Amino acid sequence: EPAEVAVGGGDFWGESRLGRSARCRRRVMAEMAAPDGAGVSVGAVFLLTTIMAAMSGIGAIPFFFVGRLSPRIASLGNAVACGVMLAASFDMIHEGEPYGGFYVVCGVCAGAAFISFMQGRLHRYEDVK
């Protein structure tokens, strides 16, 4: 009974007055909850990653309607994307700290090796340098 109230179930929260999407959202959030409130569940990570990938795809739609970008706009977009990726990288390093510095350094080195490998493989294509 207390667990049901904690996730907003029952009529206590007025669920019968909620719309269909709100009831669905509450059910999804309750299903994604990690067991015993410990961390984030695999389902939550999967769902949120899928949403993120879909939004990335939607964000690319305007480029189907633009012939070419000016070098100034392209460089601005690359700078913003680089800043976001750099911030995400530092955040992942911070998240890995509790597992030990060795694993973090191995992960950073593996990522750098992968980027170097891919640049070597893709050098013959026009826009990849």
Side-chain angles (χ1 to χ4, degrees):
E1 179 82 14
E4 185 178 85
V5 173
V7 294
D11 202 40
F12 177 78
W13 296 102
E15 189 168 309
S16 60
R17 292 188 306 255
L18 292 175
R20 182 181 217 174
S21 71
R23 283 194 304 268
C24 180
R25 185 171 45 247
R26 282 192 180 190
R27 182 170 179 182
V28 167
M29 294 308 284
E31 291 292 327
M32 288 189 333
D36 300 329
V40 180
S41 71
V42 174
V45 171
F46 179 77
L47 178 67
L48 295 173
T49 302
T50 302
I51 292 170
M52 180 188 65
M55 293 300 111
S56 295
I58 290 171
I61 289 174
F63 293 101
F64 288 112
F65 303 107
V66 176
R68 283 192 150 268
L69 291 177
S70 71
R72 183 180 173 110
I73 297 295
S75 64
L76 179 64
N78 284 335
V80 170
C82 180
V84 169
M85 289 186 284
L86 190 60
S89 297
F90 280 112
D91 189 49
M92 286 190 288
I93 289 171
H94 177 68
E95 290 287 327
E97 283 181 76
Y99 300 101
F102 175 75
Y103 293 117
V104 172
V105 170
C106 286
V108 169
C109 290
F114 177 75
I115 289 172
S116 177
F117 172 75
M118 291 308 295
Q119 283 182 333
R121 298 279 300 195
L122 298 174
H123 76 281
R124 65 178 170 258
Y125 298 102
E126 179 183 334
D127 291 330
V128 178
K129 295 180 182 168

